[in-house]
Amino acid sequence: MSETIVVLDFGSQYSQLIARRIRECHVYSKILPYSATARAVAAENPCGVILSGGPSSVYAENAPKCDPEIFNLGIPVLGICYGLQLMVHTLGGKIVRGKAREYGKATLEIREHGKLFAELPETMQVWMSHGDKVAEPPPGGFETLASSGNTEYCAVKFADREMYGIQFHPEVAHTPLGRKLISNFCFRICGCAGDWTMASFIEEQLQEIRRKVGKSNVILGLSGGVDSSVAAALIHKAIGKQLHCIFVNNGLLRKNEAERVQQLFGRTFDMKLIYIDATDRFLKRLAGVEEPEAKRKIIGNEFVKVFDDASAKIENAEFLAQGTTYPDVIESVPIDGNPAAMIKSHHNVGGLPKEMKFKLLEPLSRLFKDEVREVGRQLGLPEDVVMRQPFPGPGLGVRHLGAISRRTLEILRDADEIVVDEIKKAGLYYSIWQTFAVFLPIRSVGVMGDERSYDYVIAVRAVDSSDGMTADWVPLPPELLGRISSRIINEVNGVNRVVYDITSKPPGTIEWE
């Protein structure tokens, strides 16, 4: 196991970003809830601990506090914003409400470089986000390393201990030299070697998969998306034909998707791929159903049944593999032990029946999305697979409003293919979170070839996001929108109008259903 730096999460919106910045230094990072005990932290055998920021005030009732014994573990600690204030408060210092709150860009004046600010300039731009400040140091004092116009104790080192605190956020892009500061903490203070690489991760996981699986068979529900594709490639490299991939065509896939997946995984990678064309089965169940949630439940329940039937035929299958990633794990664990505080529940396979007695195999559960993509590259997956935009589990079922029919699905499929094709030609596909077409079950009057038409409407959607939790619509160039509209109307029989969705999330959702 690689050396580790633990990040204690106090509810900061930047906790995942802190962990990612550490990993950019080739040091493994793990996020734990602030309520983790000193024993739990020590069990990770960390080289250091970072206390994240957070929205609370340390003197407020029910403010999140960490186990004070963490400060007695004898390992380096870095407190960021709330983390600094918590350290001072816990060790006997005083935190007060500042006369002026400090949000946004500020200039940091470095008094003492030491290890934390090594190779950094005398002044640097930083990003502040706080209303409280340190008023008095704890008994024993600390050395002031840097200050800003509004904050005297903007960076400190606790006396005779490798414990540091900073009032600004080095993890955000608005602190341009922040990555160097995090690097200094990792290497100069924690003594890390920087051996966390995707190559080392792959080798470690290959051994772990073989050890865990033994001679058993593994089942994986392959969707063709990034996570399941990389999981399949990694597990296949480890155990070869012991992996059985089940690919279900629910009739709601993108154009030529079934052929692409079978070609890449069944023939190019020579995996054991069970292909099930359940189009008729799904569309029969969906016939006449208009309510979005009802359609989702039908698609999910039918998938489980199809998957169950197929997996029951595979002998000696003890493991179910999933493409669970680290954000899935983090967001499924309550920060303070209260399930109500969870961001979301996580069901990677859509809720498999309890009678399916499988052990879970989740080899990507320690990785962020960009790391998953890099693993895919190193395993030989093509770039158009590892950089693929997210696609919803229910497929085109959540991009087709109203009752679904074979004809209207083909209209949507053809329109969606044109949207993606034009976005790729414009060189924008890999820089946008999602771009797709939506079928609207309304018809409008048009004029085509000097004749009156009465055909369907297609909406085009393009959004940017970092995690799918929030999203902003993308202002695509007018000439690109013009080409998309022209092609859809000219090439897709049954469409005479194209509209562009300029709704952000919130108030809208990314998908339409």
Side-chain angles (χ1 to χ4, degrees), residues 227 323-330 346 348 364-369 372:
D227 299 337
T324 308
T325 61
Y326 196 40
D328 295 327
V329 175
I330 297 168
H346 178 65
N348 219 330
L364 307 179
S365 63
R366 291 162 55 196
L367 301 185
F368 288 105
K369 193 75 168 188
V372 172

Side-chain angles (χ1 to χ4, degrees), residues 366-377:
R366 291 162 55 196
L367 301 185
F368 288 105
K369 193 75 168 188
D370 56 333
E371 294 170 329
V372 172
R373 296 187 195 279
E374 182 56 31
V375 168
R377 290 189 186 95

Side-chain angles (χ1 to χ4, degrees), residues 296-506:
R296 281 180 175 270
K297 288 181 179 178
I298 289 171
I299 295 168
N301 292 338
E302 203 61 28
F303 173 82
V304 168
K305 293 176 183 177
V306 174
F307 192 91
D308 191 8
D309 292 343
S311 62
K313 299 174 183 176
I314 301 173
E315 298 180 354
N316 192 33
E318 293 186 20
F319 292 87
L320 175 68
Q322 297 186 162
T324 308
T325 61
Y326 196 40
D328 295 327
V329 175
I330 297 168
E331 292 169 0
S332 299
V333 176
I335 292 173
D336 59 0
N338 176 11
M342 288 191 296
I343 297 174
K344 66 180 180 181
S345 59
H346 178 65
H347 303 284
N348 219 330
V349 187
L352 292 174
K354 293 180 180 179
E355 57 268 21
M356 292 182 72
K357 303 296 184 181
F358 289 118
K359 302 172 186 175
L360 276 181
L361 184 64
E362 299 174 308
L364 307 179
S365 63
R366 291 162 55 196
L367 301 185
F368 288 105
K369 193 75 168 188
D370 56 333
E371 294 170 329
V372 172
R373 296 187 195 279
E374 182 56 31
V375 168
R377 290 189 186 95
Q378 296 198 23
L379 292 172
L381 288 174
E383 192 70 7
D384 65 341
V385 173
V386 299
M387 289 302 294
R388 197 167 207 182
Q389 293 180 355
F391 189 65
L396 297 179
V398 295
R399 296 176 179 174
H400 185 302
L401 276 64
I404 294 173
S405 71
R406 291 178 186 270
R407 177 172 179 265
T408 54
L409 264 179
E410 285 308 309
I411 289 175
L412 174 56
R413 229 186 300 272
D414 290 343
D416 186 70
E417 181 77 358
I418 290 171
V419 171
V420 173
D421 182 53
E422 287 296 330
I423 293 294
K424 286 183 175 178
K425 287 178 179 177
L428 298 174
Y429 182 81
Y430 297 141
S431 62
I432 298 176
W433 178 263
Q434 275 177 279
T435 48
F436 54 89
V438 180
F439 176 85
L440 306 185
I442 55 175
R443 305 176 86 174
S444 71
V445 174
V447 179
M448 302 179 73
D450 295 326
E451 294 183 0
R452 178 183 182 275
S453 66
Y454 188 55
D455 283 326
Y456 291 108
V457 178
I458 288 292
V460 176
R461 181 85 158 132
V463 297
D464 260 341
S465 178
S466 59
D467 54 13
M469 304 289 289
T470 61
D472 290 325
W473 66 277
V474 177
L476 293 178
E479 60 273 16
L480 174 57
L481 289 172
R483 288 196 300 272
I484 291 172
S485 176
S486 178
R487 282 193 61 190
I488 290 175
I489 291 172
N490 287 319
E491 298 175 28
V492 182
N493 187 28
V495 178
N496 70 356
R497 192 176 299 270
V498 175
V499 299
Y500 191 54
D501 182 356
I502 59 170
T503 311
S504 296
K505 176 186 179 181

